Amino acid sequence: MPTLKAESGHSESAGTPGSANPSGHDRLDPSVWRICAVALFGALLAQLDATIVNVSLSPLATSMRSSLSTIQWVTSGYLLALTLVLPLSGWLVDRVGAKALYLGCFSAFTLSSALCGLAWSAPSLIAFRVLQGVSGGLLAPMTQMMVARAAGSQMTRVAGYMALPVLLAPVLGPVLAGVILQYGSWRWLFLVNLPVGVVALLLALAFLASDRHETTPRTLDWLGLALLSPGLAMVLYGSERTGQGAGRALLVAGLAMIVAFLWTARRKGDDALIDLRLFRGNVFSTAAVIQFLSNGAMFAGQMLIPAFLIQACGRRPADMGWMLAPLGIGMMITNPLMGMLTARFGIRDVSAGGALLALAATTPLAYLAMHGLDLALLMPALLFRGAGMIAVGLPSLSAAYASVSRQKLSMATTSLNIVQRLGGPVMTTLCASLLAWKSGPGVAGPTASQGYAWAFLLLSALHALTFLMASRLPRRLEDVTLSA
């Protein structure tokens, strides 16, 4: 990747891998936008593909003459495969380089999409989706790393614009899936990825500079891989099935394997699959906790809010689209403003302010659970909750990447993606367990309100903890010092 000169006095010695144009003005170098456009294709295609498939499981079960419990492995198998390969991301970048790995992942993702479109049975479709998950699992950290390398101290601004199309994917996915299923074969749910993948590969070949000279081959930590990858998959799988004995056993076993990995990685240092010394830096460790809490609060809210509206308020599932729309609108409004906000107020104030706004917008949900649904209160609460949540993550990510050297960026993106991925199921399980405890099994209607009130208060507490952690970030990106 090209290394651009930093601006605003924040030099590469402070861990900024690249930045805006040399003249120091607000205008970014065109090469940054070209690199980010390539990276965006990876995130957008993976997100759009996941959304299209998730909303099409029932029609797929009918078309494949399979049960819904079997066809749901089209999604579960993809997610588990994605989780299994995630820890390998940093090692692979160091081994073969970012450009070669990105081209390989995108080629494999496009090819496996074609295989999914040619599947002849439910088992074959599940197998090809697992292959797709292997390549898709590396695209998310690769996207973050390429943006961090190219944008440097302007990452918050650039990532704010880049996230906008990805936020649109959950909106466009169901529409595209509906059109395909109404007018064409289910196979086009996957074959639609082919033209996008080909364009993305051509852009990557044209715009991404070779970085083979930056590779630092390391011996693969096989023991760490054998502990961490299955451990993560078992935690994610088991956390969704805590109501079953087997699910709880897998969750406990997965947590034990992650603890064992942490013990071995601490002893291995540079030779470990994940360099735990990154977390010794105050800025990086603070940003990692923020990512864990904020991602967990977001996923827990995605589970709680629709369930509350349907079970406790008696609304129809068909109403969820327009009732939850303010949440996405709040995110989309805030994203393009992130660069301007952080430039004016600094990363700490924006991230902490976002957490505080999310806290203020989530607390009214507990009030609604106790006093009944009021759309005049729900709609603005969801709007401000979306705006607040999106303002938390990007500044803390920028701070984390600014605190590590360019050579450690691949390891940093892998570590942060693992932390993010764990936050969702852990916090969702925590909120769901409290809801079940306070509501009792099979409770619906008004009698469920007390349980949801407690769950929303716990969700508010997560936002409060996020605010406290965000308050520990450096005031501005220029204040971040290199720690790894």
Side-chain angles (χ1 to χ4, degrees):
M1 307 294 170
T3 302
L4 307 174
K5 294 184 179 179
E7 62 178 355
S8 304
H10 190 51
S11 66
E12 287 190 348
S13 63
T16 305
S19 191
N21 58 59
S23 62
H25 297 298
D26 288 338
R27 182 175 175 272
L28 284 167
D29 190 290
S31 64
V32 175
W33 291 118
R34 288 196 293 268
I35 292 170
C36 291
V38 174
L40 175 62
F41 266 98
L44 179 59
L45 185 58
Q47 181 69 30
L48 190 62
D49 178 82
T51 305
I52 290 175
V53 173
N54 288 346
V55 301
S56 305
L57 290 180
S58 182
L60 276 175
T62 302
S63 299
M64 307 290 278
R65 296 180 180 178
S66 175
S67 66
L68 191 59
S69 60
T70 297
I71 209 67
Q72 64 87 23
W73 278 99
V74 170
T75 295
S76 297
Y78 176 89
L79 292 175
L80 290 176
L82 184 149
T83 304
L84 283 169
V85 300
L86 181 59
L88 279 172
S89 175
W91 179 80
L92 285 170
V93 171
D94 291 341
R95 187 82 180 178
V96 303
K99 179 177 181 178
L101 182 59
Y102 190 79
L103 289 172
C105 287
F106 227 116
S107 299
F109 190 90
T110 305
L111 178 60
S112 56
S113 296
L115 292 174
C116 288
L118 299 174
W120 55 89
S121 64
S124 65
L125 178 58
I126 293 169
F128 293 143
R129 278 286 285 175
V130 168
L131 291 177
Q132 198 179 43
V134 170
S135 53
L138 301 174
L139 287 178
M142 287 293 300
T143 297
Q144 286 185 12
M145 190 198 69
M146 288 193 294
V147 174
R149 279 185 174 184
S153 63
Q154 290 290 313
M155 182 183 171
T156 306
R157 174 185 171 189
V158 173
Y161 287 110
M162 283 189 60
L164 193 58
V166 178
L167 288 173
L168 288 174
V171 178
L172 298 177
V175 176
L176 185 57
V179 171
I180 290 174
L181 292 172
Q182 182 172 354
Y183 297 105
S185 166
W186 65 266
R187 299 183 185 278
W188 285 101
L189 295 170
F190 305 98
L191 296 178
V192 72
N193 292 339
L194 298 185
V196 180
V198 170
V199 172
L201 287 171
L202 293 176
L203 290 176
L205 287 169
F207 293 154
L208 297 184
S210 174
D211 61 343
R212 289 299 296 269
H213 61 284
E214 297 183 24
T215 57
T216 52
R218 296 184 292 119
T219 303
L220 181 60
D221 177 15
W222 288 102
L223 176 60
L225 181 64
L227 289 172
L228 183 57
S229 289
L232 287 172
M234 290 164 71
V235 166
L236 293 177
Y237 184 82
S239 63
E240 295 180 353
R241 294 161 175 82
T242 52
Q244 306 170 8
R248 291 192 294 271
L250 284 174
L251 177 60
V252 172
L255 290 173
M257 293 179 74
I258 292 176
V259 171
F261 165 78
L262 294 175
W263 183 75
T264 59
R266 185 178 179 183
R267 298 177 58 196
K268 291 187 176 183
D270 278 336
D271 295 328
L273 186 66
I274 301 294
D275 189 353
L276 298 183
R277 290 174 299 183
L278 287 171
F279 294 92
R280 294 178 184 174
N282 289 332
V283 174
F284 189 87
S285 59
T286 298
V289 173
I290 293 171
Q291 291 295 310
F292 179 83
L293 291 173
S294 61
N295 202 54
M298 180 178 68
F299 276 86
Q302 289 176 353
M303 179 271 297
L304 284 175
I305 296 173
F308 163 68
L309 293 174
I310 294 171
Q311 293 182 356
C313 301
R315 305 305 297 232
R316 298 175 304 163
D319 295 334
M320 293 304 99
W322 66 268
M323 293 187 75
L324 299 179
L327 192 66
I329 293 173
M331 292 181 176
M332 288 188 282
I333 290 175
T334 307
N335 251 305
L337 303 177
M338 291 306 300
M340 180 271 290
L341 291 173
T342 53
R344 181 171 182 179
F345 300 106
I347 54 175
R348 182 176 64 197
D349 288 349
V350 172
S351 187
L356 195 61
L357 180 60
L359 169 61
T362 303
T363 305
L365 298 178
Y367 174 85
L368 293 175
M370 294 302 298
H371 295 85
L373 180 62
D374 183 355
L375 293 179
L377 180 57
L378 176 68
M379 294 302 181
L382 293 180
L383 180 73
F384 288 117
R385 174 176 163 78
M389 286 193 304
I390 209 68
V392 175
L394 290 180
S396 59
L397 273 181
S398 299
Y401 291 139
S403 70
V404 301
S405 64
R406 181 181 177 87
Q407 291 72 26
K408 292 288 186 179
L409 273 177
S410 59
M411 189 68 72
T413 53
T414 301
S415 302
L416 289 173
N417 271 270
I418 290 174
V419 169
Q420 289 172 341
R421 199 166 297 280
L422 284 174
V426 169
M427 295 306 172
T428 299
T429 300
L430 191 62
C431 289
S433 299
L434 179 63
L435 174 63
W437 176 42
K438 291 295 183 179
S439 298
V443 176
T447 53
S449 295
Q450 184 178 3
Y452 279 104
W454 279 102
F456 286 133
L457 286 175
L458 176 57
L459 195 59
S460 299
L462 294 180
H463 289 302
L465 287 174
T466 306
F467 167 74
L468 293 177
M469 294 304 300
S471 300
R472 297 180 55 190
L473 289 171
R475 180 171 177 79
R476 293 191 174 274
L477 205 58
E478 292 83 358
D479 301 329
V480 179
T481 55
L482 194 67
S483 61

